Amino acid sequence: MSESPFTQITIVGLGLLGGSIGHAVQACLPGVTVVGYDADPAVRDAARDLGLAHRIADQAEEAALGSDLVVFCVPVGAMGDAARAIAPGLSKDALVSDVGSSKATVAAALAEALPGHHVIPAHPVAGTERSGPDAGFATLFRNRWCIVTPPADADPALTARLVAFWEALGARVEMMDADHHDKVLAVTSHLPHLIAYTIVGTASDLEAVTQSEVIKYSAGGFRDFTRIAASDPTMWRDVFLTNRDAVLEMLQRFTEDLTELQKAIRKGDGDTLHDHFTRTRAIRRGIIEMGQDDARPDFGRSDHQGEG
């Protein structure tokens, strides 16, 4: 067990990530009080039954009372509204953070909604295709990266406390500028999700191939695309809209590269294809060597693995 840098934590949004934080704090920081809140009454009821927090608040303004850390775990497009709802009960000394997959837009939304408060965004790069309060589990962040993106005027002591918090939950922490984070995640997470949604959608629209055939004869690659494409549609809609510029930049680069491969296939240019596949294969080896995935069949995946 680790010593906690905070005494009471409020989690706003009790889906996969919020629920996992609730479980993880209770498992790793047993002296810390966890307060949970969700705008959906049904989710609040489920969270009580699942024990996601020591207390579930029924009113937004009550959720942050007495907490020295508030973590927003709502879709990135809802961050500003969620922060404004919480603001009346938020202490001036409390640290505000989040778990959103885009950072520059979220940082601006939280700063605008909570002027005068300490805001240090973060992004735990962890998740699964499952969503909802029953999807959370305490080990989700173990040995996963959490990227902390403090603004230029952030208090170094508060940044250190946030880093210590995520490390206590088992995460490996990296510091990064918000704009740089958004470019990195656009290519490592956001673009792959967009491609997966597109490929699965294309397969479902094919008139020459029935849906039952798509399901029955799915090879490993397509199965993995369907796992990614099963992710929360609201969350990913907001990610693409809030990280629009970086996603469009990476999508343009991808489109250009895809066109080159299309030309190579049309011309029967095997050398170009082989060179490209050899170069990209090295990336896979690097991911395995860094412990970011597993070399076993189906990548050793279970329902409790994925990305955010």
Side-chain angles (χ1 to χ4, degrees):
M1 303 296 178
S2 303
E3 183 177 346
S4 175
F6 302 101
T7 58
Q8 181 172 300
I9 295 167
T10 294
I11 304 166
V12 182
L14 300 173
L16 167 65
L17 290 175
S20 293
I21 292 173
H23 285 306
V25 170
Q26 292 179 76
C28 302
L29 299 169
V32 176
T33 300
V34 182
V35 180
Y37 173 74
D38 196 283
D40 186 338
V43 171
R44 295 198 298 269
D45 290 342
R48 288 190 183 94
D49 293 341
L50 292 164
L52 298 188
H54 297 103
R55 177 171 66 86
I56 302 296
D58 283 315
Q59 302 296 327
E61 58 268 25
E62 298 174 3
L65 291 173
S67 290
D68 47 357
L69 173 63
V70 176
V71 184
F72 288 95
C73 304
V74 299
V76 290
M79 290 286 181
D81 288 342
R84 280 183 281 274
I86 291 292
L90 183 64
S91 166
K92 285 289 184 182
D93 296 324
L95 174 60
V96 174
S97 191
D98 75 302
V99 297
S101 184
S102 59
K103 293 270 66 88
T105 302
V106 167
L110 290 177
E112 180 183 357
L114 300 170
H117 288 280
H118 303 288
V119 177
I120 303 178
H123 174 210
V125 187
T128 75
E129 68 273 22
R130 300 178 63 216
S131 58
D134 60 342
F137 55 100
T139 59
L140 177 64
F141 310 108
R142 188 176 297 168
N143 293 322
R144 300 286 181 170
W145 287 105
C146 180
I147 303 172
V148 175
T149 60
D153 60 350
D155 183 336
L158 286 177
T159 300
R161 289 171 67 190
L162 184 63
V163 169
F165 168 74
W166 281 110
E167 289 178 340
L169 302 193
R172 294 180 286 177
V173 178
E174 186 86 16
M175 305 284 282
M176 198 176 290
D177 172 81
D179 290 329
H180 186 67
H181 164 280
D182 289 352
K183 287 187 177 181
V184 171
L185 269 293
V187 70
T188 62
S189 177
H190 305 167
L191 183 58
H193 276 78
L194 189 63
I195 294 167
Y197 282 121
T198 303
I199 289 176
V200 175
T202 298
S204 69
D205 291 339
L206 283 175
E207 295 181 358
V209 179
T210 67
Q211 188 174 46
S212 63
E213 287 173 322
V214 169
I215 294 170
K216 183 176 180 179
Y217 300 116
S218 289
F222 187 77
R223 284 200 304 272
D224 213 43
F225 277 124
T226 63
R227 180 188 64 80
I228 296 172
S231 301
D232 186 336
T234 300
M235 180 185 82
W236 282 101
R237 175 202 66 193
D238 286 359
V239 166
F240 291 128
L241 294 178
T242 57
N243 198 26
R244 177 175 55 192
D245 291 343
V247 169
L248 288 174
E249 178 183 344
M250 297 306 168
L251 184 59
Q252 180 62 36
R253 292 283 299 272
F254 173 77
T255 302
E256 292 168 1
D257 290 343
L258 191 61
T259 299
E260 291 303 310
L261 290 179
Q262 184 180 17
K263 291 178 182 177
I265 293 170
R266 182 180 295 116
K267 295 177 180 178
D269 184 354
D271 290 342
T272 294
L273 294 174
H274 186 270
D275 290 347
H276 184 83
F277 300 156
T278 300
R279 179 166 53 87
T280 57
R281 189 182 187 189
I283 298 293
R284 175 65 190 166
R285 291 195 184 115
I287 289 172
I288 293 171
E289 288 170 1
M290 288 192 66
Q292 290 297 97
D293 211 335
D294 196 304
R296 291 175 294 171
D298 288 329
F299 312 111
R301 285 202 174 94
S302 68
D303 285 342
H304 285 175
Q305 292 180 284
E307 63 182 281

